[in-house]
Amino acid sequence: SQKIEQNSEALNIQEGKTATLTCNYTNYSPAYLQWYRQDPGRGPVFLLLIRENEKEKRKERLKVTFDTTLKQSLFHITASQPADSATYLCALDMGGFQKLVFGTGTRLLVSP
Amino acid sequence: GAVVSQHPSWVICKSGTSVKIECRSLDFQATTMFWYRQFPKQSLMLMATSNEGSKATYEQGVEKDKFLINHASLTLSTLTVTSAHPEDSSFYICSAGTRSSLDSEKLFFGSGTQLSVL
């Protein structure tokens, strides 16, 4: 089965800096990888999807990279704001359409 | 974007009782919905795939007789936790995806249900 590793320790950064979160997987290479944001007591919200043939994808202040050789995805938030504070989840396909396996997430704290 | 509504947001029940959680797709039809469970500071764990008009597909280790899933229409799936026990206390979340052309593999999640069994 697929195993996903995300840094379980919280990432603390100062407002305006770039936050970089890491997602590593250990088994088969997925056809795509997704990133979600989850606030306490809420369901996850979709942010970005990157496919295996894509190296990088951007959306406003967000950027995702996908290195299938390293089996790693990096998630960047530029010009971070306190409102970006949340837990960010990495998710991979489980071999079925829309069927995902999630990492434990990394909590991001942006200080003013 | 598409909206998935989940109800109730939280429920407290006595041990041995059953609890029903509803998940609705408000502005799209969902032939497939997914039910997840999340314990504090842990990952979302897929429990089952709910298929409209047919039986749900359960993940390994999930008791189908304990977690009853019904997907009677294209916009509604329900999860019933039968004979709930304190160890069933968790955050339950449903999700669904559309078949739109852009990033069709992404999921839209409900707001979750916090179940506390006393």
Side-chain angles (χ1 to χ4, degrees):
Chain A
S1 62
Q2 186 70 276
K3 287 191 176 182
I4 304 173
E5 295 176 355
Q6 291 186 261
N7 194 337
S8 58
E9 294 182 10
L11 177 63
N12 291 277
I13 64 168
Q14 206 167 12
E15 183 176 9
K17 302 292 185 181
T18 296
T20 299
L21 286 68
T22 304
C23 173
N24 295 294
Y25 56 94
T26 57
N27 291 340
Y28 65 88
S29 287
Y32 55 83
L33 185 148
Q34 304 186 32
W35 283 90
Y36 288 79
R37 168 183 173 144
Q38 186 176 25
D39 290 285
R42 309 290 293 176
V45 175
F46 172 80
L47 296 175
L48 280 169
L49 181 152
I50 187 165
R51 301 187 185 280
E52 59 181 339
N53 61 344
E54 299 175 313
K55 294 292 184 184
E56 179 181 299
K57 187 169 262 189
R58 294 174 184 260
K59 179 183 177 183
E60 298 173 352
R61 294 185 294 111
L62 309 180
K63 184 178 83 171
V64 171
T65 63
F66 194 7
D67 189 325
T68 55
T69 301
L70 293 178
K71 295 188 175 182
Q72 181 182 81
S73 174
L74 299 178
F75 177 78
H76 307 272
I77 304 176
T78 59
S80 60
Q81 305 166 0
D84 295 327
S85 299
T87 296
Y88 291 86
L89 306 170
C90 167
L92 308 179
D93 72 286
M94 288 176 70
F97 183 68
Q98 296 176 342
K99 195 173 180 181
L100 300 177
V101 57
F102 283 83
T104 53
T106 298
R107 188 177 174 204
L108 173 66
L109 298 171
V110 181
S111 306
Chain B
V3 178
V4 174
S5 175
Q6 187 173 341
H7 185 79
S9 298
W10 57 270
V11 58
I12 302 173
C13 69
K14 292 182 178 180
S15 185
T17 60
S18 294
V19 174
K20 179 184 282 188
I21 303 170
E22 291 188 350
C23 181
R24 296 180 184 273
S25 56
L26 296 186
D27 50 0
F28 67 101
Q29 293 182 333
T31 55
T32 302
M33 291 186 175
F34 302 91
W35 286 96
Y36 290 82
R37 179 168 54 182
Q38 187 177 33
F39 292 105
K41 298 187 178 181
Q42 293 190 23
S43 177
L44 280 77
M45 297 299 296
L46 180 65
M47 298 175 65
T49 302
S50 174
N51 305 299
E52 187 268 334
S54 64
K55 292 183 179 180
T57 305
Y58 290 82
E59 295 301 306
Q60 191 173 10
V62 178
E63 299 175 59
K64 61 180 180 180
D65 294 331
K66 180 165 187 64
F67 299 100
L68 300 180
I69 292 173
N70 184 281
H71 196 152
S73 76
L74 287 172
T75 59
L76 174 64
S77 175
T78 60
L79 169 68
T80 301
V81 183
T82 63
S83 186
H85 290 285
E87 57 266 30
D88 298 322
S89 299
S90 185
F91 191 55
Y92 293 86
I93 317 174
C94 70
S95 69
T98 69
R99 296 262 176 177
S100 63
S101 58
L102 183 63
D103 294 342
S104 60
E105 299 92 341
K106 67 185 177 188
L107 294 178
F108 299 94
F109 284 83
S111 55
T113 298
Q114 182 63 54
L115 171 63
S116 297
V117 184
L118 304 178

